[in-house]
Amino acid sequence: NFQPKVMKILVGVKRVVDYAVKIRVKPDRSGVVTEGVQHSMNPFDEIALEEAVKLKEKKLATEVVAFSLGGPKSQEVLRTALAKGADKAIHVQVSDEEASKLESFHVAKTLKKIVESEKFDAVFLGKQAIDDDSSQTAPILAGLLDWPQALYASKVEEGGDGHMKVTREIDGGLDTIKAKKKPLKAIPIKDLGVDIKPQTETIEVTEPPVRQAGGFVEDVSALVAKLKEKGFVKA
């Protein structure tokens, strides 16, 4: 339980390759091409931010702070978050090389440090990042903090008795603008004492197999014969 009228909300925002960009695998199959392509705020994080700002507008929260763990360019999405209504921003800094190897567990551990040091009452995170599609950061963070969690939320309202009412609906998107005057706090990852040594190793990244063209049959008998021919139906 918490006091909605004095609630501080931390919102995680991640810089990812823009959803409209066609992803290309690197020639050495070590990952995907990110250099020279358009990046933007993870669209599901935009939704989380929008809901947090709505709570502040309704006087159910006092402060909305955007958070990002990443390289120098992560400040771009934090500026966008400030433009969309966040009051402050926190950038936990790592190098671009370190950022490429970050995992959900590292992000969750870092969020836990920030939540405890800055005394946040709630954390809003997008349901998943569109680059790794892990959808693990929020559940891991809830476990580390021993906090209750509500997954895949698209609407959050006051539920009475110190609780919040969560609605799960289809997600949408927001426009992007810039802001440069609100405070943005930068914290080197080493200052938080978080170990970001990778726990997994990427062996190979490949393109999905090309889908083969379908065929046409004249009637049910021809369909059954074709399925038998392919071994999908026993004779």
Side-chain angles (χ1 to χ4, degrees), residues 104 108 125-127 134-147 149 151-152:
S104 298
L125 301 173
K127 75 180 185 74
S134 293
S135 193
Q136 295 178 354
T137 301
I140 294 173
L141 176 61
L144 292 175
L145 289 170
D146 194 23
W147 280 12
Q149 60 180 317
L151 300 177
Y152 309 114

Side-chain angles (χ1 to χ4, degrees), residues 187-206:
I187 306 173
I189 188 72
K190 61 181 179 62
D191 289 1
L192 297 178
V194 176
D195 182 5
I196 57 173
K197 182 180 179 180
Q199 295 184 314
T200 61
E201 179 185 358
T202 300
I203 304 301
E204 185 180 66
V205 178
T206 61

Side-chain angles (χ1 to χ4, degrees), residues 29-229:
R29 296 187 176 184
S30 64
V32 299
V33 176
T34 58
E35 297 79 11
V37 299
Q38 177 65 36
H39 283 67
S40 60
M41 183 189 299
N42 182 51
F44 295 113
D45 296 345
E46 292 189 36
I47 297 169
L49 176 62
E50 180 184 23
E51 289 304 313
V53 171
K54 284 181 180 178
L55 288 180
K56 185 190 171 187
E57 291 172 345
K58 294 176 182 177
K59 310 299 182 183
L60 298 176
T62 54
E63 187 175 53
V64 174
V65 180
F67 158 92
S68 194
L69 168 60
K73 292 184 179 180
S74 290
Q75 290 198 10
E76 295 173 2
V77 295
L78 288 173
R79 295 294 181 190
T80 300
L82 293 171
K84 290 179 179 293
D87 300 295
K88 300 177 183 177
I90 297 175
H91 177 204
V92 177
Q93 301 169 313
V94 294
S95 67
D96 287 331
E97 182 180 357
E98 291 172 325
S100 67
K101 299 177 182 178
L102 288 173
E103 301 168 12
S104 298
F105 185 55
H106 303 136
V107 181
K109 287 198 299 182
T110 305
L111 279 165
K112 179 178 183 290
K113 292 278 189 178
I114 297 297
V115 168
E116 293 176 338
S117 64
E118 302 285 340
K119 309 299 181 185
F120 284 97
D121 302 291
V123 181
F124 284 18
L125 301 173
K127 75 180 185 74
Q128 67 193 80
I130 63 171
D131 51 2
D132 56 23
D133 281 328
S134 293
S135 193
Q136 295 178 354
T137 301
I140 294 173
L141 176 61
L144 292 175
L145 289 170
D146 194 23
W147 280 12
Q149 60 180 317
L151 300 177
Y152 309 114
S154 63
K155 186 176 183 181
V156 184
E157 306 168 276
E158 185 176 13
D161 298 324
H163 292 78
M164 303 304 288
K165 178 181 177 182
V166 177
T167 303
R168 294 148 64 106
E169 296 177 349
I170 296 174
D171 302 307
L174 297 173
D175 292 332
T176 299
I177 53 178
K178 298 290 180 179
K180 295 185 178 180
K181 295 183 179 179
K182 293 181 180 178
L184 192 159
K185 183 178 181 181
I187 306 173
I189 188 72
K190 61 181 179 62
D191 289 1
L192 297 178
V194 176
D195 182 5
I196 57 173
K197 182 180 179 180
Q199 295 184 314
T200 61
E201 179 185 358
T202 300
I203 304 301
E204 185 180 66
V205 178
T206 61
E207 296 277 3
V210 178
R211 186 174 180 178
Q212 297 181 350
F216 293 92
V217 294
E218 295 182 357
D219 51 35
V220 175
S221 297
L223 173 61
V224 173
K226 180 64 71 174
L227 292 174
K228 288 181 179 178
E229 177 187 329

